[in-house]
Amino acid sequence: MSIEASATFTVMEPETMRRMFAGELGPDRDFFIYSRHFNPTVLSLGRQMAALEGTEAAYCTASGMSAISSVLMQICSSGGHVVASRTLYGGTHALLTHFLPRACNITTSFVDIRDHAAVRDAIVAGKTKVLYFESMSNPTLTVADVPELSRIAHDKGAMVVVDNTFAPMVLSPARLGADVVVHSISKFISGGADIIAGAICGPAKLVNSMMDLHQGALMLLGPTMNPKVAFELSERIPHLGLRMKEHCARALAFATRLKKMGIRVIYPGLEDHPQHDLLKSMANKDYGFGGIMCVDMETEDRANRLMHLLQNYAQFGFMAVSLGYYETLMSCSGSSTSSEMNEEEQALAGISPGLVRMSVGYIGTLEQKWGQLEKALSRLQEPGLFGKN
C-alpha cells in the first residue's frame, strides 16, 4: 500500500470534473476530486475495515466521536428520535443528552439494553430512527444481545448502530444483524496509543450518502482522516487478531485469579458473568472474551489507592484513559471516562464510584505481570478492603 497524500486531484478533460460533481464518476472507478471527499489511501483502509466487520463498505474518520456523531446526524433529521443504552461511553452519552437535542433537535430515550421489553416499548414506529448501543458496554462490560435487539429494532423500522470499540475480532455485530458498526480505531485496532481515528462500517448506500456533496454528514462536517494516518493503521490491522488473542488471554487469566482471591472482578469471560453464555454464543471462535476487565473497589478513594500502588509501587500499568495499548491502562471510570454522566445517571448505568477499568496489556510475560499485580495487592492492608463474592 502506498500513501496518496494529495489534497486535490487533476483531471484530463473539463467534462470529467463536471461529471464527478454530478455524481456520474467516483472513486469506484478511480476518479477523485478532493481528499475531504474521498482519498485513495483512506479508501483502502475503509475497505480493510469493511472486510474486518463484514459490511459492504466503510469510511474512516478523524476520531471515534466524529464517526458516531456523523452517522447519527446522517440517519436522524431534526425531530428524530434515538433509543440508546443507559450505559455508554461518557462522550457518547453527552452527545446524545446535550449536544444533539440542542443543536439538531434529535432526542434520545435511554433504556436498560438487557430489558428487551423496555427496548421494544421505547422504540416509536415511524419516529425512532436508531437503536444505539455498545457491543460490550463502557465501562460495565454488559454484553448486548445483538441478534435479538436487531430483530426488535427492525420490526419497528429502526436502524441498529453498534459501537464495537471494546470487541474487535471478538464480536462481529453486522454478521449478527446490526446495520452499522462504529469504532474508535484509536483503541485496540491501532494498538499503539499514538493515533486518534474512527470508522463507520455499514451498507454502501449509507456510506455513499454520507459522502454526498450536498447532503453528506462526513463530506460537509469534514472529519477527514489524514492519508498518512490511514497508511499507519493499515499496517496494524494484519496483526490485530494476534494482539486481541493475547489481550483476551491475559484478561481472562487475571480475572480468574483475582476472583479466587475474593476480589470483586467483572469480566464477561468468567462463567458467573450474567452474559457469559450469551457472549459465548455470539463470539468469534478462539478470540476470547475481550481485553477489558473491571475491579470494583466500591469507593473512589479505594480505587485511587489501588491504581496508585499498581502504577507507582508495582509498575503493573499506567493510570490513563483509552484502551487497547500493549501496556495495561487503568482509570476510575466514574471520575474520568464516565464523568459526563451525573451521579444518578452513573447509578442507573451500574457504574460504581470505585469501579476501576483495566485495559489489560500484553507486554512482559503473564507471570511477570501477575507478580506485579500481587505485589500491589499485598500492600493493601486495610481489613475487609475486598468483600467476598
Side-chain angles (χ1 to χ4, degrees), residues 48-120:
Q48 285 180 287
M49 287 301 302
L52 177 69
E53 286 295 354
T55 59
E56 286 183 330
Y59 197 91
C60 296
T61 64
S63 69
M65 280 306 302
S66 68
I68 294 165
S69 58
S70 295
V71 78
L72 290 174
M73 283 192 273
Q74 186 69 30
I75 298 172
C76 300
S77 301
S78 176
H81 180 243
V82 176
V83 172
S85 171
R86 273 186 187 145
T87 312
L88 294 171
Y89 164 58
T92 309
H93 195 277
L95 174 74
L96 293 167
T97 306
H98 305 296
F99 183 85
L100 289 181
R102 174 180 62 80
C104 306
N105 191 31
I106 296 169
T107 57
T108 299
S109 299
F110 293 97
V111 295
D112 183 341
I113 210 70
R114 299 167 296 182
D115 186 342
H116 295 166
V119 173
R120 189 178 291 107

Coordinates of all heavy atoms in Angstrom, one line a residue, residues 48-120:
Q48 N -10.5 -2.3 4.2 CA -10.0 -3.2 5.3 C -11.0 -3.3 6.4 O -11.3 -4.4 6.9 CB -8.6 -2.8 5.8 CG -7.5 -3.1 4.8 CD -6.1 -2.6 5.4 OE1 -5.9 -1.4 5.5 NE2 -5.3 -3.6 5.8
M49 N -11.5 -2.1 6.9 CA -12.4 -2.1 8.0 C -13.7 -2.8 7.6 O -14.3 -3.5 8.4 CB -12.7 -0.7 8.4 CG -11.5 0.0 9.2 SD -11.1 -0.9 10.7 CE -12.6 -0.9 11.6
A50 N -14.2 -2.6 6.4 CA -15.4 -3.3 5.9 C -15.2 -4.8 5.9 O -16.1 -5.6 6.3 CB -15.8 -2.8 4.5
A51 N -14.0 -5.3 5.5 CA -13.7 -6.7 5.5 C -13.7 -7.2 6.9 O -14.2 -8.3 7.2 CB -12.4 -7.0 4.8
L52 N -13.1 -6.4 7.8 CA -13.0 -6.8 9.2 C -14.3 -7.0 9.9 O -14.6 -8.0 10.6 CB -12.2 -5.7 10.0 CG -12.0 -5.9 11.5 CD1 -11.1 -7.1 11.8 CD2 -11.5 -4.6 12.1
E53 N -15.3 -6.1 9.6 CA -16.6 -6.2 10.2 C -17.7 -6.8 9.3 O -18.8 -7.0 9.8 CB -17.1 -4.7 10.5 CG -16.3 -4.1 11.7 CD -16.6 -4.9 13.1 OE1 -17.5 -5.8 13.1 OE2 -16.0 -4.6 14.1
G54 N -17.3 -7.2 8.1 CA -18.3 -8.0 7.3 C -19.4 -7.1 6.8 O -20.5 -7.5 6.7
T55 N -19.1 -5.8 6.4 CA -20.1 -4.9 5.9 C -19.7 -4.6 4.4 O -18.6 -4.9 3.9 CB -20.1 -3.6 6.7 OG1 -18.8 -3.0 6.6 CG2 -20.5 -3.8 8.1
E56 N -20.7 -4.0 3.7 CA -20.5 -3.7 2.3 C -19.4 -2.6 2.1 O -18.7 -2.6 1.1 CB -21.8 -3.2 1.7 CG -22.8 -4.2 1.4 CD -24.1 -3.6 0.7 OE1 -24.4 -2.4 1.0 OE2 -24.7 -4.4 0.0
A57 N -19.4 -1.7 3.0 CA -18.5 -0.5 2.9 C -18.1 0.0 4.2 O -18.7 -0.4 5.2 CB -19.2 0.6 2.0
A58 N -17.1 0.9 4.2 CA -16.7 1.6 5.5 C -16.0 2.9 5.1 O -15.4 3.0 4.0 CB -15.8 0.7 6.3
Y59 N -16.1 3.8 6.0 CA -15.4 5.1 5.8 C -14.6 5.4 7.1 O -15.2 5.3 8.2 CB -16.3 6.2 5.4 CG -15.6 7.4 4.8 CD1 -15.3 7.5 3.4 CD2 -15.1 8.4 5.6 CE1 -14.6 8.5 2.9 CE2 -14.4 9.5 5.1 CZ -14.1 9.5 3.7 OH -13.4 10.6 3.2
C60 N -13.4 5.8 7.0 CA -12.6 6.1 8.2 C -12.5 7.6 8.4 O -12.4 8.4 7.5 CB -11.2 5.5 8.1 SG -11.3 3.7 8.0
T61 N -12.6 8.0 9.7 CA -12.7 9.4 10.1 C -11.6 9.8 11.0 O -10.8 9.0 11.5 CB -14.1 9.6 10.8 OG1 -14.1 8.8 12.0 CG2 -15.2 9.2 9.9
A62 N -11.6 11.0 11.4 CA -10.5 11.6 12.2 C -10.6 11.2 13.7 O -9.6 11.3 14.4 CB -10.6 13.1 12.1
S63 N -11.8 10.7 14.2 CA -11.9 10.2 15.6 C -13.1 9.3 15.7 O -14.0 9.3 14.8 CB -12.0 11.4 16.5 OG -13.3 12.0 16.3
G64 N -13.1 8.6 16.8 CA -14.3 7.7 17.0 C -15.6 8.6 17.2 O -16.7 8.2 16.8
M65 N -15.4 9.7 18.0 CA -16.6 10.5 18.2 C -17.1 11.1 16.9 O -18.3 11.3 16.8 CB -16.3 11.6 19.2 CG -16.3 11.2 20.7 SD -17.8 10.4 21.2 CE -19.0 11.7 20.9
S66 N -16.2 11.5 16.0 CA -16.7 12.0 14.7 C -17.5 10.9 13.9 O -18.4 11.3 13.2 CB -15.6 12.6 13.9 OG -14.7 11.6 13.4
A67 N -17.1 9.7 14.0 CA -17.8 8.6 13.4 C -19.2 8.5 14.0 O -20.2 8.4 13.2 CB -17.0 7.3 13.5
I68 N -19.3 8.5 15.3 CA -20.6 8.3 16.0 C -21.5 9.5 15.7 O -22.7 9.3 15.3 CB -20.3 8.2 17.5 CG1 -19.6 6.9 17.8 CG2 -21.7 8.3 18.3 CD1 -19.0 6.9 19.2
S69 N -21.0 10.7 15.8 CA -21.9 11.9 15.6 C -22.3 12.0 14.2 O -23.4 12.3 13.9 CB -21.1 13.2 16.1 OG -19.9 13.3 15.4
S70 N -21.4 11.7 13.2 CA -21.7 11.8 11.8 C -22.8 10.8 11.4 O -23.8 11.2 10.7 CB -20.5 11.6 10.9 OG -19.6 12.7 11.2
V71 N -22.7 9.6 11.9 CA -23.7 8.6 11.4 C -25.0 8.9 12.0 O -26.1 8.7 11.4 CB -23.2 7.2 11.8 CG1 -23.4 6.8 13.2 CG2 -23.9 6.1 10.9
L72 N -25.1 9.4 13.3 CA -26.4 9.7 13.9 C -27.0 10.9 13.2 O -28.2 10.9 13.0 CB -26.2 10.0 15.4 CG -25.8 8.7 16.3 CD1 -25.5 9.2 17.7 CD2 -26.9 7.7 16.2
M73 N -26.2 11.9 12.8 CA -26.8 13.0 12.2 C -27.2 12.7 10.7 O -28.0 13.4 10.2 CB -25.8 14.2 12.2 CG -25.8 14.9 13.6 SD -24.9 16.5 13.6 CE -23.3 15.9 13.9
Q74 N -26.6 11.7 10.1 CA -26.9 11.3 8.8 C -28.3 10.6 8.8 O -29.1 10.8 7.9 CB -25.9 10.4 8.1 CG -26.1 10.1 6.7 CD -26.0 11.3 5.8 OE1 -25.2 12.2 6.1 NE2 -26.7 11.3 4.7
I75 N -28.5 9.7 9.7 CA -29.7 8.9 9.8 C -30.9 9.7 10.3 O -32.0 9.5 9.9 CB -29.4 7.6 10.6 CG1 -28.3 6.7 10.0 CG2 -30.7 6.8 10.7 CD1 -27.9 5.6 10.8
C76 N -30.6 10.5 11.3 CA -31.7 11.3 12.0 C -31.7 12.7 11.5 O -30.7 13.4 11.4 CB -31.4 11.3 13.5 SG -31.4 9.7 14.3
S77 N -32.9 13.1 11.2 CA -33.2 14.5 10.8 C -33.7 15.3 12.1 O -34.0 14.7 13.1 CB -34.2 14.6 9.7 OG -33.7 13.9 8.6
S78 N -33.9 16.6 11.9 CA -34.5 17.4 13.0 C -35.8 16.8 13.4 O -36.6 16.4 12.6 CB -34.7 18.8 12.6 OG -35.3 19.6 13.6
G79 N -36.0 16.6 14.7 CA -37.2 16.0 15.2 C -37.1 14.5 15.4 O -38.0 13.8 15.9
G80 N -36.0 13.9 15.0 CA -35.7 12.5 15.0 C -35.6 12.0 16.5 O -35.3 12.8 17.4
H81 N -35.7 10.7 16.6 CA -35.6 10.1 18.0 C -34.6 8.9 17.9 O -34.6 8.1 17.0 CB -37.0 9.6 18.4 CG -37.1 9.0 19.7 ND1 -37.4 7.6 19.9 CD2 -36.8 9.5 21.0 CE1 -37.4 7.4 21.2 NE2 -37.0 8.4 21.9
V82 N -33.9 8.8 19.0 CA -32.9 7.7 19.2 C -33.3 6.9 20.5 O -33.6 7.6 21.5 CB -31.5 8.2 19.3 CG1 -30.5 7.1 19.6 CG2 -31.1 8.9 18.0
V83 N -33.2 5.6 20.5 CA -33.2 4.8 21.7 C -31.8 4.3 21.9 O -31.2 3.7 21.0 CB -34.2 3.7 21.6 CG1 -34.1 2.7 22.8 CG2 -35.7 4.2 21.5
A84 N -31.3 4.5 23.1 CA -29.9 4.1 23.4 C -29.8 3.5 24.7 O -30.6 3.6 25.6 CB -29.0 5.4 23.3
S85 N -28.7 2.7 24.8 CA -28.4 2.0 26.1 C -28.1 3.1 27.2 O -27.4 4.1 26.9 CB -27.2 1.1 25.9 OG -26.7 0.6 27.2
R86 N -28.5 2.8 28.4 CA -28.1 3.7 29.5 C -26.6 3.7 29.8 O -26.1 4.7 30.3 CB -28.8 3.2 30.8 CG -30.2 3.7 31.0 CD -30.7 3.3 32.4 NE -32.1 3.6 32.5 CZ -33.0 2.9 33.2 NH1 -32.6 1.8 33.7 NH2 -34.2 3.3 33.3
T87 N -26.0 2.6 29.5 CA -24.5 2.5 29.8 C -23.7 2.7 28.5 O -23.7 1.8 27.6 CB -24.2 1.2 30.4 OG1 -25.2 0.9 31.4 CG2 -22.8 1.1 31.0
L88 N -23.2 3.9 28.3 CA -22.4 4.2 27.2 C -21.1 5.0 27.6 O -21.1 5.6 28.7 CB -23.2 5.1 26.2 CG -24.4 4.6 25.5 CD1 -25.2 5.7 24.9 CD2 -24.1 3.5 24.5
Y89 N -20.2 5.0 26.7 CA -19.0 5.9 26.9 C -19.5 7.3 27.2 O -20.5 7.8 26.6 CB -18.1 5.9 25.6 CG -17.1 7.0 25.6 CD1 -16.2 7.2 26.6 CD2 -17.2 7.9 24.5 CE1 -15.3 8.3 26.5 CE2 -16.3 9.0 24.4 CZ -15.4 9.2 25.4 OH -14.5 10.2 25.4
G90 N -18.9 8.0 28.1 CA -19.3 9.3 28.6 C -19.5 10.3 27.5 O -20.4 11.1 27.5
G91 N -18.6 10.3 26.5 CA -18.7 11.3 25.4 C -19.9 11.1 24.6 O -20.6 12.0 24.1
T92 N -20.2 9.8 24.3 CA -21.4 9.5 23.5 C -22.6 9.8 24.3 O -23.6 10.4 23.7 CB -21.4 7.9 23.2 OG1 -20.2 7.5 22.7 CG2 -22.5 7.6 22.3
H93 N -22.7 9.6 25.6 CA -23.8 9.9 26.5 C -24.0 11.4 26.4 O -25.2 11.9 26.3 CB -23.6 9.5 27.9 CG -24.8 9.4 28.7 ND1 -25.2 10.6 29.4 CD2 -25.6 8.5 29.1 CE1 -26.3 10.3 30.1 NE2 -26.6 9.0 29.9
A94 N -22.9 12.2 26.5 CA -23.1 13.7 26.5 C -23.6 14.2 25.1 O -24.4 15.1 25.0 CB -21.7 14.3 26.8
L95 N -23.1 13.5 24.0 CA -23.6 13.9 22.7 C -25.1 13.7 22.6 O -25.8 14.6 22.1 CB -22.9 13.0 21.6 CG -23.4 13.1 20.2 CD1 -22.9 14.4 19.6 CD2 -22.9 11.9 19.4
L96 N -25.6 12.5 23.1 CA -27.0 12.2 23.0 C -27.8 13.0 24.0 O -29.0 13.4 23.7 CB -27.2 10.7 23.2 CG -26.7 9.8 22.2 CD1 -26.6 8.4 22.7 CD2 -27.4 9.9 20.9
T97 N -27.3 13.3 25.1 CA -28.0 14.0 26.2 C -28.1 15.5 26.0 O -29.1 16.2 26.2 CB -27.4 13.7 27.6 OG1 -27.3 12.3 27.7 CG2 -28.3 14.3 28.7
H98 N -27.0 16.1 25.5 CA -26.9 17.6 25.5 C -26.7 18.1 24.1 O -27.5 19.0 23.7 CB -25.6 18.0 26.3 CG -25.7 17.5 27.7 ND1 -26.7 17.9 28.6 CD2 -24.9 16.6 28.4 CE1 -26.4 17.3 29.8 NE2 -25.4 16.5 29.7
F99 N -25.8 17.6 23.3 CA -25.5 18.3 22.0 C -26.6 18.1 21.0 O -27.0 19.1 20.4 CB -24.1 17.9 21.5 CG -23.7 18.6 20.2 CD1 -23.1 19.8 20.3 CD2 -24.0 18.0 19.0 CE1 -22.7 20.5 19.1 CE2 -23.7 18.7 17.8 CZ -23.0 19.9 17.9
L100 N -26.9 16.9 20.7 CA -27.9 16.6 19.6 C -29.3 17.2 19.9 O -29.9 17.8 19.0 CB -28.0 15.1 19.4 CG -26.8 14.4 18.7 CD1 -27.1 13.0 18.5 CD2 -26.4 15.1 17.4
P101 N -29.8 17.2 21.1 CA -31.1 17.9 21.4 C -31.0 19.4 21.1 O -31.8 20.0 20.5 CB -31.4 17.6 22.8 CG -30.6 16.4 23.2 CD -29.4 16.5 22.3
R102 N -29.8 20.0 21.6 CA -29.7 21.5 21.5 C -29.4 21.9 20.0 O -30.0 22.8 19.5 CB -28.5 21.9 22.4 CG -28.1 23.4 22.2 CD -27.0 23.8 23.1 NE -25.8 23.1 22.8 CZ -24.9 23.4 21.8 NH1 -25.2 24.4 21.0 NH2 -23.8 22.7 21.7
A103 N -28.5 21.2 19.4 CA -28.0 21.7 18.0 C -28.9 21.1 16.9 O -28.9 21.7 15.8 CB -26.6 21.3 17.9
C104 N -29.5 19.9 17.1 CA -30.1 19.2 15.9 C -31.6 18.9 16.2 O -32.2 18.3 15.3 CB -29.3 18.0 15.6 SG -27.6 18.2 15.3
N105 N -32.1 19.1 17.4 CA -33.5 18.7 17.7 C -33.6 17.2 17.6 O -34.7 16.7 17.1 CB -34.5 19.5 16.9 CG -35.9 19.3 17.4 OD1 -36.1 19.1 18.6 ND2 -36.9 19.3 16.5
I106 N -32.6 16.4 18.0 CA -32.7 15.0 18.0 C -32.7 14.5 19.4 O -31.7 14.9 20.2 CB -31.5 14.4 17.2 CG1 -31.5 14.7 15.8 CG2 -31.4 12.8 17.4 CD1 -30.2 14.4 15.0
T107 N -33.7 13.8 19.9 CA -33.8 13.4 21.3 C -33.5 11.9 21.4 O -33.6 11.2 20.5 CB -35.2 13.7 21.8 OG1 -36.2 13.0 21.0 CG2 -35.5 15.2 21.8
T108 N -33.2 11.6 22.7 CA -32.8 10.2 23.0 C -33.6 9.7 24.2 O -33.7 10.4 25.2 CB -31.3 10.0 23.2 OG1 -30.6 10.4 22.0 CG2 -30.9 8.6 23.5
S109 N -34.1 8.5 24.1 CA -34.6 7.8 25.3 C -33.6 6.7 25.7 O -33.2 5.9 24.9 CB -35.9 7.1 25.0 OG -36.9 8.0 24.6
F110 N -33.2 6.7 27.0 CA -32.2 5.8 27.4 C -32.9 4.6 28.1 O -33.8 4.8 28.9 CB -31.2 6.4 28.4 CG -30.3 7.5 27.7 CD1 -30.6 8.8 27.8 CD2 -29.2 7.1 27.1 CE1 -29.8 9.7 27.1 CE2 -28.4 8.0 26.4 CZ -28.7 9.3 26.5
V111 N -32.4 3.4 27.8 CA -33.1 2.2 28.4 C -32.0 1.2 28.9 O -30.8 1.3 28.5 CB -34.0 1.5 27.4 CG1 -35.2 2.3 27.0 CG2 -33.2 1.1 26.1
D112 N -32.4 0.3 29.7 CA -31.5 -0.8 30.1 C -31.5 -1.8 28.9 O -32.6 -2.4 28.6 CB -32.0 -1.5 31.3 CG -31.1 -2.7 31.8 OD1 -30.3 -3.2 31.0 OD2 -31.3 -3.1 33.0
I113 N -30.4 -1.9 28.2 CA -30.4 -2.7 27.0 C -30.6 -4.2 27.2 O -30.9 -4.9 26.3 CB -29.0 -2.4 26.3 CG1 -29.1 -2.6 24.7 CG2 -27.9 -3.4 26.8 CD1 -29.9 -1.4 24.1
R114 N -30.5 -4.6 28.5 CA -30.8 -6.0 28.8 C -32.3 -6.3 28.9 O -32.7 -7.4 28.8 CB -30.1 -6.4 30.1 CG -28.6 -6.3 30.1 CD -28.1 -6.3 31.5 NE -28.5 -5.2 32.3 CZ -28.2 -5.0 33.6 NH1 -27.4 -5.8 34.2 NH2 -28.7 -3.9 34.2
D115 N -33.1 -5.2 29.0 CA -34.5 -5.4 29.2 C -35.2 -5.2 27.8 O -35.5 -4.1 27.4 CB -35.0 -4.3 30.2 CG -36.5 -4.4 30.5 OD1 -37.2 -5.1 29.7 OD2 -37.0 -3.9 31.5
H116 N -35.4 -6.3 27.1 CA -35.8 -6.2 25.7 C -37.2 -5.7 25.6 O -37.6 -5.0 24.6 CB -35.7 -7.6 25.1 CG -34.3 -8.1 25.0 ND1 -34.0 -9.4 24.7 CD2 -33.1 -7.4 25.1 CE1 -32.6 -9.5 24.6 NE2 -32.1 -8.4 24.9
A117 N -38.1 -5.9 26.6 CA -39.4 -5.4 26.6 C -39.4 -3.9 26.7 O -40.1 -3.2 26.0 CB -40.2 -5.9 27.7
A118 N -38.5 -3.3 27.5 CA -38.3 -1.9 27.6 C -37.8 -1.3 26.3 O -38.2 -0.2 25.9 CB -37.4 -1.5 28.8
V119 N -36.9 -2.0 25.7 CA -36.3 -1.5 24.4 C -37.4 -1.4 23.4 O -37.6 -0.4 22.7 CB -35.2 -2.4 23.9 CG1 -34.7 -2.0 22.5 CG2 -34.0 -2.4 24.9
R120 N -38.2 -2.5 23.3 CA -39.4 -2.5 22.4 C -40.3 -1.4 22.6 O -40.8 -0.7 21.7 CB -40.1 -3.9 22.5 CG -41.1 -4.1 21.4 CD -41.7 -5.5 21.5 NE -40.8 -6.6 21.2 CZ -40.3 -7.4 22.1 NH1 -40.6 -7.3 23.4 NH2 -39.4 -8.3 21.7

